[in-house]
Amino acid sequence: MQSVCKSCAVLGMLVGGILTGASGPSEAAKRFFTIAAVEPKGAVTVDKEPFPTAALPEAGGYVIKKPDATGRWEVSTYVWQPSQIIVTEGDEVSLEFVGINGAEHPTTIVGYDKALVLKRGHVVRVELTADKVGTFPIVCAHHRPSMVGELIVMPKK
Ligand SMILES: [Cu+2]
């Protein structure tokens, strides 16, 4: 007869639950996400760090400002925060886009036929049923390639 320590048995149940998915939800869930349009920035003066000689890729999502009269230069990029939304097939999903930085973000969720224009200071809510499994880009047409997120729909277990 095999004896198993108490904590080993608990660990075994936990691992078993993770492997079989028994610990996760099996029913379709209502999911809510806030996705912010943001522009993280970094700035410094040329006496501390020289202005880069290599150019950034020509794209709306990358912004670099040459040194001003005080020698201060700045770099930034437009991104979705968070940039990956992970849901399960069948979930009822609410995506609430919030415009923090950038005047306007014409955006498409490719594969789910959803389009919106997000402006600074506004909230646009998109509702969808995650009825297609896969990875679906969330693309802002003005700020490629950095402002491309992903809606990831995992198959139901
Ligand atoms: Cu944008």
Side-chain angles (χ1 to χ4, degrees):
M1 185 170 167
Q2 188 178 7
S3 75
V4 178
C5 75
K6 201 174 188 179
S7 58
C8 297
V10 171
L11 182 64
M13 284 188 287
L14 284 172
V15 171
I18 291 165
L19 293 177
T20 60
S23 60
S26 57
E27 300 292 312
K30 286 193 185 303
R31 309 287 303 278
F32 176 88
F33 299 89
T34 297
I35 306 175
V38 293
E39 182 192 11
K41 279 183 192 174
V44 70
T45 50
V46 288
D47 57 327
K48 294 196 176 74
E49 292 172 33
F51 186 72
T53 51
L56 290 182
E58 288 288 325
Y62 300 135
V63 181
I64 191 158
K65 292 180 181 162
K66 289 183 176 163
D68 64 13
T70 68
R72 182 184 187 273
W73 60 274
E74 187 179 284
V75 61
S76 64
T77 185
Y78 286 94
V79 292
W80 294 118
Q81 191 180 345
S83 63
Q84 285 187 320
I85 301 296
I86 302 172
V87 300
T88 303
E89 180 183 9
D91 284 354
E92 297 295 325
V93 182
S94 294
L95 303 175
E96 199 155 271
F97 292 85
V98 185
I100 308 291
N101 297 114
E104 191 174 280
H105 308 279
T107 301
T108 319
I109 305 177
V110 179
Y112 268 86
D113 297 323
K114 299 285 185 186
L116 61 127
V117 176
L118 179 66
K119 294 185 176 183
R120 192 198 323 264
H122 291 253
V123 166
V124 177
R125 186 183 281 208
V126 172
E127 310 271 359
L128 60 89
T129 302
D131 53 5
K132 284 174 270 188
V133 170
T135 300
F136 304 91
I138 303 170
V139 180
C140 168
H142 283 181
H143 301 115
R144 290 167 180 262
S146 54
M147 207 173 190
V148 178
E150 291 179 335
L151 170 65
I152 299 169
V153 182
M154 306 294 288
K156 226 185 292 185
K157 287 179 183 163

